[in-house]
Amino acid sequence: MKDIRKKAFETKAVHAGIEKNEHGAVVPPIYQTSTFKFRDVQHGANLFSGTEEGYIYTRMRNPTVEAMENAVAVLEGGAHALGCGSGMAAIHTVFAAHLNAGDHVVCSESVYGPTVTLLNTVMKRFGVESTFVDSSDTEAVRHAMRENTKIVYIETPGNPTLVISDLAEISRITKEHDALCVVDNTFMGPAMQRPFEFGADIVVHSLTKSLNGHADVVGGIIVVREEEMYPHIRKTLNQIGGVIDPFNSFLVHRGLKTLALRVHRASENALAIAQFLEHHPQVAWVRYPGLPSHPQYEIGRRQMTGHGSMISFELRGGIEAGKTVMNNVHLCQLAVSLGGVESLIQHPASMTHAGMGKQQREQAAITDGLVRLSVGIEQIDEIIADIDHALGMCQAL
Ligand code: LCS
């Protein structure tokens, strides 16, 4: 399709990345091959030297992987994308490509737990220092910047507190310091937030979440705003080797086609659930970007075109009541991960964010009583009835 980038998001989601199929295939075929045959020795040498264009080896390039990468690049509005074996592989590859011993990272304090651990362990061993800040406080980000700050890493809304950071302001501060603004856009996805429009340099995703959307793939992706950033990251990924495989790429590409439908339905459901929780006598507080009570509601309205599917809340009965709810839901499943068609509930302090340690969790307002809900696309009254029933079990405590 001509000018795919100028089409509406829903149209791009269906058609992006499928332009070049042999035999007129409507869906990109799965090139489930590790290697590609050369015509002769000269052809192989030409491909390696770059004087001829073509495929060599699937860790380097694969047509099925590229089709999915192109689709995500179009949806994010970036120049190019690189599929990775997981969201963590994408994050690590960005760090490995851009950081040297002696460099410094400023990172949102409320991010996926293993991102904190990666910076505090592996990257620290390689001589990279990190400062974790409440990135909803733009002044705190400015204050944390140092001469050697090379990356400002933002997750907004943050996992699991849903704290929202001002992407335009933070990108501006990052540029003043000649650093890169890297945004983990996993929670909103490109249907509802496109960080490049606010000045971000690199976007990363866990494809495991809404972009695939069906809880059957682990994958990640790096999207770059400018073409010139691509070759170096690609070379780094090729050396580290954390690539995605063709079959998982195919599944993600299939999931992308319904991305807009899925996330809008999940977001509608999530708003209804957040409103239900906010008025429930057992609930101490609820954080959801679509509630005017969210502390950064206005920033969210400026940079997001929806509210997303993630809710965090705490019960008046604290963690014991939270455990009762998590143990008594039936439709919502007690499992980590998020952004799928099915509703999932989990306890960050003992699960996704356990590895951060209590002190760093407390600094990031990840309380022991916080319960996280990823809302799916099931029928809304049935999800609410499930949660209502589980909340009813707390009264017996
Ligand atoms: N970024 C965010 C915001 C995430 O939530 C996750 C995983 C990752 C990166 C890493 O992606 P992965 O390597 O798992 O593909 N988040 C999870 C969560 O909250 N529950 O289980 C996994």
Side-chain angles (χ1 to χ4, degrees):
M1 180 177 297
K2 264 194 172 170
D3 289 338
I4 182 79
R5 284 180 182 261
K6 293 192 184 145
K7 301 287 184 208
F9 189 89
E10 291 81 351
T11 307
K12 287 194 264 204
V14 174
H15 292 282
I18 61 167
E19 292 92 345
K20 287 190 298 188
N21 295 324
E22 285 180 347
H23 312 301
V26 169
V27 172
I30 307 172
Y31 285 89
Q32 192 72 15
T33 181
S34 58
T35 196
F36 297 82
K37 197 158 70 174
F38 310 131
R39 285 191 307 273
D40 53 29
V41 173
Q42 190 57 50
H43 179 219
N46 289 349
L47 291 176
F48 270 91
S49 69
T51 51
E52 208 173 323
E53 152 82 13
Y55 297 97
I56 297 173
Y57 184 61
T58 282
R59 173 158 50 73
M60 300 158 85
R61 282 177 68 190
N62 174 286
T64 315
V65 176
E66 280 185 355
M68 181 278 290
E69 291 172 336
N70 292 340
V72 176
V74 167
L75 294 181
E76 276 292 354
H80 233 115
L82 278 156
C84 300
S86 67
M88 290 315 299
I91 296 164
H92 176 229
T93 302
V94 169
F95 289 161
H98 297 101
L99 297 170
N100 294 305
D103 287 346
H104 175 244
V105 175
V106 174
C107 181
S108 304
E109 63 190 9
S110 184
V111 292
Y112 179 50
T115 304
V116 175
T117 323
L118 173 65
L119 286 168
N120 277 343
T121 57
V122 179
M123 299 314 295
K124 195 171 177 179
R125 275 199 287 113
F126 283 82
V128 173
E129 268 193 281
S130 303
T131 305
F132 297 90
V133 294
D134 172 4
S135 52
S136 70
D137 177 354
T138 309
E139 279 313 301
V141 175
R142 191 191 302 281
H143 196 71
M145 298 298 288
R146 297 190 199 157
E147 197 120 295
N148 58 342
T149 305
K150 292 288 157 53
I151 285 181
V152 175
Y153 185 93
I154 302 295
E155 210 182 280
T156 181
N159 187 353
T161 60
L162 297 162
V163 64
I164 295 173
S165 306
D166 187 328
L167 288 172
E169 274 297 298
I170 293 174
S171 300
R172 212 167 46 73
I173 294 168
T174 307
K175 267 173 202 75
E176 281 168 17
H177 287 78
D178 236 359
L180 284 175
C181 180
V182 180
V183 178
D184 184 332
N185 199 25
T186 300
F187 262 35
M188 294 311 291
M192 294 190 171
Q193 176 171 273
R194 288 178 292 282
F196 293 134
E197 292 174 6
F198 302 92
D201 300 296
I202 295 177
V203 167
V204 292
H205 277 281
S206 168
L207 293 174
T208 319
K209 310 300 183 309
S210 66
L211 296 198
N212 177 57
H214 295 78
D216 49 12
V217 165
V218 171
I221 201 153
I222 304 163
V223 194
V224 293
R225 197 187 47 184
E226 306 292 344
E227 186 64 38
E228 67 240 33
M229 303 173 81
Y230 172 71
H232 175 64
I233 306 181
R234 181 168 145 197
K235 209 174 277 177
T236 308
L237 177 63
N238 185 28
Q239 286 156 358
I240 293 176
V243 294
I244 194 168
D245 69 87
F247 185 61
N248 276 344
S249 298
F250 169 84
L251 288 175
V252 171
H253 205 162
R254 184 168 71 162
L256 288 177
K257 294 175 203 283
T258 54
L259 177 65
L261 289 176
R262 287 186 284 102
V263 297
H264 282 108
R265 172 63 180 268
S267 180
E268 266 172 39
N269 281 355
L271 179 61
I273 294 166
Q275 286 165 343
F276 162 79
L277 288 171
E278 197 166 44
H279 294 111
H280 197 284
Q282 303 266 9
V283 175
W285 55 261
V286 187
R287 279 284 175 275
Y288 179 64
L291 293 177
S293 60
H294 190 293
Q296 296 90 33
Y297 178 70
E298 284 306 322
I299 300 174
R301 277 165 59 103
R302 285 207 297 274
Q303 65 191 26
M304 301 172 355
T305 55
H307 310 303
S309 59
M310 302 302 292
I311 301 172
S312 62
F313 63 96
E314 183 158 339
L315 299 177
R316 290 195 194 283
I319 183 52
E320 286 313 315
K323 282 182 190 166
T324 301
V325 168
M326 288 183 277
N327 283 330
N328 283 284
V329 283
H330 300 296
L331 194 155
C332 299
Q333 300 174 78
L334 179 58
V336 297
S337 205
L338 56 107
V341 291
E342 57 286 287
S343 297
L344 301 177
I345 195 165
Q346 68 111 7
H347 178 228
S350 68
M351 296 172 187
T352 48
H353 293 70
M356 271 170 84
K358 193 171 171 67
Q359 197 190 344
Q360 198 149 4
R361 275 199 307 277
E362 274 172 4
Q363 186 198 326
I366 305 169
T367 56
D368 284 348
L370 187 154
V371 175
R372 194 190 76 181
L373 186 61
S374 171
V375 179
I377 64 169
E378 300 96 337
Q379 204 276 336
I380 184 59
D381 297 334
E382 294 182 354
I383 312 176
I384 290 180
D386 186 45
I387 298 168
D388 195 27
H389 163 80
L391 284 166
M393 304 296 282
C394 299
Q395 277 157 349
L397 286 176

